[in-house]
Amino acid sequence: MSSHKQKIGVGTAIAVCVNAMIGSGIFTAPAAIASSVGPAGVLAFIFVGFAVWCLALSFARLAYQFPETGSFYTYTSAWAGHAGGLFAGLLYIIGLVFAMGMLTHVCSFYLIKLFPSVSMKFLGLSVLAILMILNLMGAVLSGIGQHILLFSTLFPLISVIVVCLTHMQPLDSIVFAPYGFSHVLEATRIAIFGFLGFECAASLFGIVKNPQINVPRAVSGSVVIVAFVYALFVGSLLFAVPLSLLSDFTVPLSTVLAQVFPNHGWLVLAIHCSILSAILGTLHSMIWSASTFIHSLIHRITFIDRLLQNQSSYTQYASIVILLTGLIATVFLSFDDLNFFFSLSSLLIVTAYCLAIIALLFIKEEWQSFRNIITVLGLGTASIILYFSLQGVLAAFV
């Protein structure tokens, strides 16, 4: 009886999924899309929204079929064995490290506006050091902290949408696809960043009432909401702001808005601080979640598990946090091409997604119920994102 009362409904489940997906990565997308796609970039978010819907529903089915912990390792090892599971987990971790390296760069772009006399490298490393200490102290975001993080992300999104929709350029002066529609699919490697975290759908089966019906509803509802908000945000921005002002990755969005809307100084400052708060909160959460995932993964490796058996759980976790932060700092110092970050992170993380949901193709009842149609669609759309991500990675070395 008590466990039933603890179950959540569809509305709360949608809120959980939306909170997991909406992240600070969306604020780096407009510059990348403006420089290669233009206003037609909204189509990339619609396409990725459909791809994520298929992938998220597949992850929900994986959680039902494989209720054990371990996510990427558990799902991939079901069809590819122990080595395959470790490989998928490793791809996901490396992808996250590069994603966090990118966010650290973006964070330094926003911090330099508040501390103009300090170098961006120092600011980025300082942020990582502080977040590492907070994680070592066990400072996990509370429920209130999660709500503050969500507000910090939603406030600039909604504010930009409202301001831009009321100051749009004349429609006859806007070229919807200045670089051609062929670049729309290329932008999917950028758009996917705004949806990372949808795999949380896998954790809902144990906490939602009537999960077989309500989890797909929650997944569908949350993906539609996030895709709509993102498309509206990017679309309104690209229709109101000259593309030339958005083409530089290193210029914070708030700086661009200050040039275009000089009479909204207080709002631009609030947006700047809110975006910075969202980036810091996302980095903090990602370091914690990635460390927790690595902690569960290393115990799948026999010789490492034996080496660590005499160490306390906290010592193991602390060592992982320090190592992970060091890797992020190394990436941050070694690479500064945000296009490369987008491409490599998307390539690795989406590959891990695909390796996980392939497990559903080996389950007979998934074919009999026709649910694998969604799985196949997810793999198909993800393959398109992977193709352009690989192109982006190769282009960085040409």
Side-chain angles (χ1 to χ4, degrees):
M1 190 71 160
S2 59
S3 62
H4 176 73
K5 288 182 179 179
Q6 295 173 355
K7 299 274 186 176
I8 63 175
V10 176
T12 304
I14 289 176
V16 170
C17 288
V18 168
N19 197 13
M21 275 187 283
I22 290 186
S24 58
I26 185 61
F27 299 114
T28 61
I33 289 177
S35 61
S36 60
V37 187
V42 296
L43 300 178
F45 281 90
I46 294 173
F47 177 86
V48 171
F50 175 74
V52 168
W53 177 73
C54 295
L55 292 171
L57 286 177
S58 298
F59 263 80
R61 292 302 304 164
L62 285 168
Y64 175 75
Q65 295 288 349
F66 306 98
E68 306 90 357
T69 59
S71 61
F72 290 96
Y73 172 86
T74 300
Y75 305 149
T76 306
S77 63
W79 69 273
H82 175 66
L86 291 177
F87 179 67
L90 185 62
L91 287 180
Y92 183 68
I93 292 167
I94 297 174
L96 284 182
V97 167
F98 274 87
M100 286 185 277
M102 182 192 73
L103 281 181
T104 305
H105 269 289
V106 177
C107 185
S108 66
F109 297 153
Y110 280 84
L111 282 171
I112 198 69
K113 295 297 179 181
L114 303 177
F115 306 97
S117 60
V118 184
S119 73
M120 287 194 292
K121 295 292 185 184
F122 179 80
L123 289 172
L125 292 176
S126 298
V127 164
L128 290 176
I130 292 170
L131 294 177
M132 180 186 72
I133 293 171
L134 288 174
N135 272 278
L136 290 175
M137 293 172 59
V140 179
L141 286 178
S142 64
I144 295 177
Q146 291 290 347
H147 283 87
I148 293 174
L149 176 57
L150 182 58
F151 174 80
S152 297
T153 309
L154 287 177
F155 173 76
L157 282 173
I158 296 172
S159 299
V160 169
I161 290 171
V162 172
V163 172
C164 288
L165 286 180
T166 56
H167 294 79
M168 288 181 62
Q169 302 176 66
L171 292 178
D172 57 3
S173 67
I174 298 172
V175 180
F176 186 65
Y179 307 103
F181 285 95
S182 60
H183 290 268
V184 171
L185 290 178
E186 182 180 342
T188 57
R189 65 186 173 85
I190 300 167
I192 190 67
F193 264 81
F195 294 87
L196 296 183
F198 69 82
E199 63 270 18
C200 81
S203 65
L204 294 179
F205 258 88
I207 62 174
V208 177
K209 301 172 185 176
N210 196 8
Q212 286 187 288
I213 295 176
N214 288 333
V215 168
R217 288 178 178 173
V219 168
S220 299
S222 60
V223 171
V224 168
I225 290 172
V226 172
F228 176 77
V229 171
Y230 283 171
L232 192 58
F233 168 71
V234 174
S236 62
L237 192 59
L238 296 179
F239 275 99
V241 177
L243 298 183
S244 58
L245 295 179
L246 287 168
S247 58
D248 190 349
F249 282 108
T250 64
V251 178
L253 178 58
S254 53
T255 301
V256 174
L257 294 174
Q259 296 179 52
V260 182
F261 309 116
N263 296 325
H264 295 76
W266 67 271
L267 181 60
V268 170
L269 178 60
I271 288 174
H272 183 96
C273 295
S274 187
I275 293 175
L276 180 57
S277 173
I279 294 171
L280 290 170
T282 300
L283 274 171
H284 177 267
S285 298
M286 289 178 72
I287 291 173
W288 172 78
S289 60
S291 298
T292 302
F293 177 68
I294 295 172
H295 191 235
S296 69
L297 192 64
I298 60 174
H299 289 289
R300 310 279 184 172
I301 306 173
T302 305
F303 78 93
I304 294 181
D305 188 42
R306 288 174 179 171
L307 289 174
L308 298 176
Q309 62 183 356
N310 293 325
Q311 296 184 10
S312 67
S313 180
Y314 174 77
T315 301
Q316 295 175 24
Y317 174 76
S319 300
I320 292 169
V321 170
I322 294 171
L323 175 61
L324 179 63
T325 308
L327 290 174
I328 299 168
T330 301
V331 168
F332 168 66
L333 294 173
S334 303
F335 303 93
D336 56 11
D337 183 352
L338 294 196
N339 257 316
F340 176 71
F341 280 112
F342 275 123
S343 299
L344 185 60
S345 297
S346 297
L347 180 66
L348 297 174
I349 293 174
V350 176
T351 298
Y353 288 149
C354 291
L355 290 174
I357 69 172
I358 284 175
L360 293 171
L361 301 181
F362 293 86
I363 301 175
K364 186 177 180 180
E365 67 183 71
E366 292 295 313
W367 288 105
Q368 292 174 337
S369 63
F370 297 103
R371 292 191 183 96
N372 264 345
I373 293 176
I374 293 176
T375 306
V376 172
L377 286 173
L379 289 170
T381 50
S383 297
I384 295 173
I385 299 173
L386 288 174
Y387 172 77
F388 287 105
S389 297
L390 180 59
Q391 275 196 338
V393 171
L394 295 177
F397 295 98
V398 174

